[in-house]
Amino acid sequence: MDARLKFLAPATRCEYLPEQTARLEYEHVERMTAAEYGEWLLGGWRRFGHLLFRPLCPSCRKCQSLRVPVGAFRPRRTQRRVWNANAHGSMRLEVGAPSPTAAKRRLYERFHRYQQVAKGWPAPDADAMDAFADNPFPTEEWCYFVDERLVAVGYVDVLPDGLSAIYFFYDPGERHRSLGTFN
């Protein structure tokens, strides 16, 4: 891994627990291997593009990365229902290298406009999608289609010990499919 730039963001109101104060620590990396990133994940770090980040909140330690041991995983009833509804119908998954196309940008913007109204997210920034294609090591893009229509996109790091989901967005008109759970 190469030299890194480190910084600590100012404290802000937590998006998940509004009564708490949130603070993130960041490190910028140009290059790293998937195995090196796996070690960072074990330390509570995540990444978006070339930025590694982790919560460093002054009074709360509730943020945790989700780890699912595949061997011990047993889907709950809702997860089985979502799987059956999507996997055995007209849903198709294509896995490839990230490629920010016009259709993906439109879907990203629709998702963020919906979240802006529903949850108070900031306005969508179409250029933010470029971070999904520019990574310190290879990343997969998982595109979900119903018939020939793009309905969701996920970005996934393939690591020596598993998969790490980076980001996922979907067509708000397809909320009934629970595509985040399906992904």
Side-chain angles (χ1 to χ4, degrees), residues 141-162:
E141 180 179 74
W142 295 15
C143 294
Y144 294 88
F145 296 86
V146 170
D147 299 318
E148 295 304 313
R149 189 171 53 87
L150 179 67
V151 295
V153 178
Y155 296 93
V156 178
D157 287 334
V158 178
L159 306 175
D161 294 335

Side-chain angles (χ1 to χ4, degrees), residues 7-20:
F7 61 96
L8 188 60
T12 61
R13 184 180 68 82
C14 178
E15 292 180 28
Y16 303 103
L17 301 169
E19 69 281 358
Q20 296 292 336

Side-chain angles (χ1 to χ4, degrees), residues 2 19 21 67 72 78 105 120 154:
D2 57 332
E19 69 281 358
T21 300
R67 306 252 188 299
T78 300
R105 288 183 189 281

Side-chain angles (χ1 to χ4, degrees), residues 22-178:
R23 193 161 198 194
L24 292 175
E25 178 180 18
Y26 292 93
E27 292 204 25
H28 181 271
V29 297
E30 282 301 316
R31 292 180 313 271
M32 73 168 41
T33 66
E36 288 171 327
Y37 180 56
E39 293 299 317
W40 284 86
L41 273 174
L42 292 174
W45 293 80
R46 297 290 312 208
R47 76 168 192 83
F48 188 78
H50 290 268
L51 276 181
L52 298 169
F53 61 93
R54 71 174 172 183
L56 203 60
C57 305
S59 62
C60 178
R61 298 287 179 263
K62 292 187 179 180
C63 288
Q64 298 177 8
S65 293
L66 177 63
R67 306 252 188 299
V68 180
V70 175
F73 176 72
R74 300 293 175 262
R76 288 174 276 153
R77 183 175 180 224
T78 300
Q79 292 167 322
R80 287 191 305 272
R81 179 188 53 78
V82 168
W83 176 260
N84 289 329
N86 289 299
H88 304 299
S90 57
M91 181 71 66
R92 178 173 51 89
L93 170 63
E94 289 182 9
V95 177
S99 61
T101 65
K104 291 171 194 165
R105 288 183 189 281
R106 284 191 302 273
L107 182 61
Y108 176 85
E109 288 180 20
R110 266 196 324 272
F111 174 75
H112 277 267
R113 284 193 207 307
Y114 173 79
Q115 297 291 35
Q116 184 181 20
V117 172
K119 297 181 180 176
W121 283 18
D125 176 5
D127 292 336
M129 271 198 68
D130 295 336
F132 301 133
D134 183 22
N135 297 294
F137 56 90
T139 296
E140 291 182 345
E141 180 179 74
W142 295 15
C143 294
Y144 294 88
F145 296 86
V146 170
D147 299 318
E148 295 304 313
R149 189 171 53 87
L150 179 67
V151 295
V153 178
Y155 296 93
V156 178
D157 287 334
V158 178
L159 306 175
D161 294 335
L163 302 174
S164 177
I166 301 168
Y167 198 76
F168 185 78
F169 56 94
Y170 59 88
D171 181 343
E174 297 291 334
R175 288 187 318 279
H176 66 282
R177 292 181 177 274
S178 300

